[in-house]
Amino acid sequence: SSREESQVSLEVNQVDEESAHDTRSFDPTKNRMMALIIGVLTVALCTYPFVRCFDLREVSEEKIEPNEKDFWRRWNRFHKLHKEGARSVTNWCWAMGWSIRRNHPWVAVFLRHPGDYLNSQKRLLILVTIITNSATVCCLLIGTTQNVPVLSGESAAALLACLMAFPVPFMLARVFSRSVPDDYRIPF
């Protein structure tokens, strides 16, 4: 009997019979979160034609090479400033502007740097994938009870949601990552 008491049970995603057949959580008229997710996905997908036109402006052959050189020079300047630069408000503002234009999921779609290898279409694809991933995780956890030994209730659901959603952004970053070309690489 002491052996039975020392065992810890981990029961994840228990769905009771009543909520297994309940589809109200997927109805946008009854679930505000689902309405928000559908709205965000609709806006993201409706912006695709504008993003496509935005990218086509930059594709002409005479613009590609200078923009790419300028992008990699600014990339190097950003990293050099980050490692060796003096701390000042001017440097901080420039680095924040660069970082927001490069890394913000919503702003970077339209304000990305010219010559960036991660064009607006790829950024929109990443954004839609992350939103879809979040929606999928939310849908999987709605109406379930999580019994994690050290956590209870909403904390257990939040931990499980983080563990389920965690790999997708990192896989996308790995798929779309690119090292600095040898022509533009500088040692510092």
Side-chain angles (χ1 to χ4, degrees):
S1 86
S2 64
R3 185 176 181 181
E4 290 176 16
E5 291 173 8
S6 66
Q7 290 181 345
V8 177
S9 67
L10 178 65
E11 299 169 1
V12 178
N13 268 354
Q14 289 183 338
V15 180
D16 58 356
E17 186 66 34
E18 185 178 314
S19 64
H21 301 290
D22 186 12
T23 59
R24 285 180 295 171
S25 58
F26 300 106
D27 185 5
T29 60
K30 294 181 177 53
N31 184 347
R32 290 182 185 161
M33 186 63 176
M34 189 58 71
L36 176 69
I37 290 169
I38 289 172
V40 167
L41 283 173
T42 303
V43 167
L45 293 175
C46 289
T47 58
Y48 181 78
F50 300 108
V51 167
R52 178 83 174 132
C53 292
F54 185 72
D55 281 345
L56 288 176
R57 285 186 315 158
E58 198 177 285
V59 174
S60 66
E61 291 299 321
E62 60 272 359
K63 287 185 177 180
I64 289 177
E65 188 65 28
N67 283 345
E68 187 176 352
K69 274 185 189 174
D70 186 48
F71 169 75
W72 287 112
R73 284 186 181 137
R74 288 179 185 223
W75 173 273
N76 287 329
R77 179 179 169 212
F78 173 74
H79 286 284
K80 186 173 183 177
L81 183 67
H82 184 70
K83 282 200 182 249
E84 300 173 354
R87 293 184 180 214
S88 70
V89 174
T90 307
N91 287 347
W92 182 81
C93 289
W94 186 84
M96 284 302 296
W98 172 272
S99 186
I100 287 172
R101 288 182 69 185
R102 178 92 175 103
N103 299 323
H104 193 278
W106 295 94
V107 173
V109 172
F110 292 105
L111 295 180
R112 68 178 179 80
H113 299 281
D116 192 351
Y117 64 91
L118 201 57
N119 64 18
S120 297
Q121 294 174 59
K122 291 176 187 174
R123 290 180 186 279
L124 189 63
L125 174 68
I126 291 169
L127 183 62
V128 169
T129 303
I130 290 173
I131 292 170
T132 306
N133 178 48
S134 300
T136 303
V137 169
C138 288
C139 290
L140 287 173
L141 295 178
I142 288 177
T144 63
T145 304
Q146 311 306 323
N147 295 325
V148 178
V150 292
L151 298 172
S152 63
E154 293 177 2
S155 300
L159 175 68
L160 188 62
C162 286
L163 291 174
M164 291 171 71
F166 188 72
V168 172
F170 290 101
M171 287 189 301
L172 287 173
R174 182 89 170 146
V175 166
F176 289 113
S177 67
R178 179 175 167 191
S179 61
V180 178
D182 292 334
D183 296 342
Y184 305 118
R185 185 172 293 145
I186 58 170
F188 52 88

